[in-house]
Amino acid sequence: MKLLIVEDEAKTIEYLQKGLAEQGCAVDVATNGYDGRHLALVHDYDVVVLDVMLPGVDGLTVLRDLRRAKQTPVIMLTARDRIEDRVRGLQEGADDYLVKPFSFLELLARLQALTRRGRTQEPTQFHLANLQIDLISRKAWRGSTRIDLTAKEFALLAVLARHQGEILSKTAIAEMVWDMNFDSHTNVVEVAIKRLRAKIDGGFSPKLLHTMRGMGYVLEARDEVEASAE
Ligand code: CA
């Protein structure tokens, strides 16, 4: 996990750096709002731990500027007597806050909750060469050409896209797309793959849906020479 700590109090920095390093985290530190804002904007951190009271630019301004550009998870550090800072922080898009003084275990629990939340957010779009798939509108394109797919064909394409570059066996595909787990049904997969391939690869290049003899299928962009040999 890669973290940024934006905090000006040496003791707190030292305490956090030591604890987080022991957890195997990579930690960057900024001791004022200017540096914090700069680092948070140019690097992609898993979490930013952001103090409200900072020299230069205050934490709430850093948060507002960061939110205009990206959705990096942010935990605000606030003083016990500054309830309005917590409210404003959450309004400005902070994901969580901790009241000083806080225990390291409490911070760790919040960090874990935030990164778990982040990880469960599956991508909603896939791009592979000029194939584009939108899982929300359930549409697919090759370049600017819309590909007309049935619900099952789209489900099959989505499974292949989620596992792009991995060889999926017919049995695995049957389980994920049709919820079947009998090898005897794998001809259903063969037929569906054939139809899907005709739609997404027919007349387009590069070819993306490949058969791995005896192993299964893989969705990936290969170099043209190899693709045209199939
Ligand atoms: Ca401070």
Side-chain angles (χ1 to χ4, degrees):
M1 203 191 315
K2 197 176 158 200
L3 279 114
L4 172 65
I5 298 171
V6 190
E7 166 65 278
D8 58 315
E9 291 150 22
K11 267 192 173 168
T12 311
I13 296 170
E14 197 185 330
Y15 172 68
L16 290 179
Q17 242 178 340
K18 188 169 171 287
L20 290 166
E22 282 169 6
Q23 296 294 320
C25 299
V27 181
D28 285 348
V29 175
T31 55
N32 62 66
Y34 292 113
D35 292 347
R37 179 169 59 191
H38 175 73
L39 286 174
L41 286 170
V42 298
H43 297 287
D44 285 325
Y45 294 101
D46 295 306
V47 179
V48 175
V49 178
L50 180 61
D51 190 28
V52 172
M53 305 285 271
L54 289 168
V57 186
D58 70 79
L60 289 166
T61 306
V62 172
L63 174 64
R64 195 180 316 129
D65 293 344
L66 178 63
R67 277 292 169 264
R68 285 205 191 103
K70 54 215 255 191
Q71 294 302 315
T72 312
V74 172
I75 299 183
M76 301 291 298
L77 302 182
T78 70
R80 183 168 297 282
D81 56 351
R82 302 271 297 177
I83 293 165
E84 69 274 16
D85 285 348
R86 279 168 239 165
V87 174
R88 272 195 63 203
L90 293 172
Q91 281 171 346
E92 299 282 359
D95 297 272
D96 208 343
Y97 65 84
L98 276 171
V99 177
K100 288 177 168 182
F102 54 88
S103 79
F104 183 72
L105 286 179
E106 196 182 353
L107 172 68
L108 203 58
R110 304 289 178 93
L111 286 177
Q112 282 163 350
L114 265 185
T115 49
R116 248 200 316 275
R117 210 190 292 166
R119 228 177 287 135
T120 56
Q121 277 171 4
E122 285 228 8
T124 56
Q125 293 209 331
F126 291 98
H127 298 267
L128 184 62
N130 65 346
L131 171 68
Q132 192 192 330
I133 306 166
D134 188 322
L135 293 182
I136 293 177
S137 65
R138 304 183 70 79
K139 288 176 184 164
W141 297 264
R142 273 308 287 260
S144 56
T145 309
R146 167 89 186 275
I147 312 282
D148 189 24
L149 298 170
T150 65
K152 273 294 176 221
E153 286 163 355
F154 188 87
L156 175 59
L157 180 60
V159 160
L160 288 161
R162 280 198 187 95
H163 295 268
Q164 58 182 268
E166 284 174 44
I167 300 169
L168 294 179
S169 69
K170 289 174 195 170
T171 314
I173 292 172
E175 280 176 18
M176 287 189 275
V177 179
W178 283 268
D179 218 8
M180 303 183 308
N181 48 13
F182 302 103
D183 284 344
S184 57
H185 289 302
T186 53
N187 67 319
V188 173
V189 177
E190 276 171 44
V191 171
I193 287 276
K194 208 171 169 185
R195 287 210 185 110
L196 178 63
R197 176 180 284 143
K199 287 186 178 180
I200 66 162
D201 279 346
F204 300 107
S205 73
K207 304 299 177 198
L208 298 174
L209 181 47
H210 309 277
T211 301
M212 307 298 289
R213 201 150 301 184
M215 293 193 281
Y217 305 96
V218 61
L219 189 71
E220 68 183 354
R222 297 176 176 177
D223 59 60
E224 287 295 308
V225 177
E226 204 185 335
S228 61
E230 282 192 35

